[in-house]
Amino acid sequence: MKLLIELLTGDLQPEYKTTESEIYAGEANLFRSGISIGGKLFLTSERLIFLPHKFNFNKKIEYIELSEVNVFQSITSLNVLNNTLAFTLENGTELIFIVNNIEIWMEEIERAKKVVDLI
């Protein structure tokens, strides 16, 4: 299974702005219009970037500026698993990601967001 995930997401690499650097990355599923889209989520010093893997029909890349995130939280999925990141943006858009290592994601996003909010 790990080999399959690596085959699907291993070559996914976003284009970064010259002003940003990668902080953390991992496999993720984005829920868009009730459909789970597999890919890779990247946290940079300025944004979250979701790149869908090549086998998805919906290949839209999501760019989320940390400065536009009003609320982010960890929520429980299926009333059992603590692996869901939920974001509410300034414009009211809500985004849901399923990730591994939720604690690391939460810590790193909080740290990066504090820096962005100071600027």
Side-chain angles (χ1 to χ4, degrees), residues 4-65:
L4 178 60
I5 291 171
E6 183 60 30
L7 286 172
L8 293 175
T9 63
D11 61 344
L12 296 178
Q13 190 62 37
E15 291 185 23
Y16 296 123
K17 298 177 191 176
T18 57
T19 57
E20 71 185 330
S21 58
E22 184 179 305
I23 296 172
Y24 194 66
E27 290 81 23
N29 286 315
L30 167 62
F31 283 89
R32 186 183 292 144
S33 302
I35 298 171
S36 177
I37 301 164
K40 198 164 185 179
L41 184 62
F42 298 84
L43 171 64
T44 76
S45 53
E46 298 178 24
R47 313 181 277 178
L48 284 157
I49 304 168
F50 178 76
L51 296 178
H53 60 65
K54 54 190 165 197
F55 293 107
N56 288 307
F57 290 110
N58 188 333
K59 293 181 175 35
K60 181 180 178 236
I61 298 171
E62 287 287 339
Y63 297 98
I64 305 157
E65 297 289 334

Side-chain angles (χ1 to χ4, degrees), residues 34 51 57 82 96 107:
L51 296 178
F57 290 110
N82 184 18
I96 304 287
E107 289 173 18

Side-chain angles (χ1 to χ4, degrees), residues 1 29 32 48 66 76 83 87 90 97:
M1 183 65 163
N29 286 315
R32 186 183 292 144
L48 284 157
L66 291 176
T76 303
N83 63 351
F87 295 89
E90 286 179 348
F97 295 94

Side-chain angles (χ1 to χ4, degrees), residues 14 24 34 39 50 65 76-77 93 100 105 108 110 112:
Y24 194 66
F50 178 76
E65 297 289 334
T76 303
S77 61
T93 300
N100 294 318
W105 279 105
E108 295 298 341
E110 186 171 342

Side-chain angles (χ1 to χ4, degrees), residues 75-84:
I75 58 176
T76 303
S77 61
L78 302 173
N79 293 324
V80 178
L81 303 172
N82 184 18
N83 63 351
T84 305

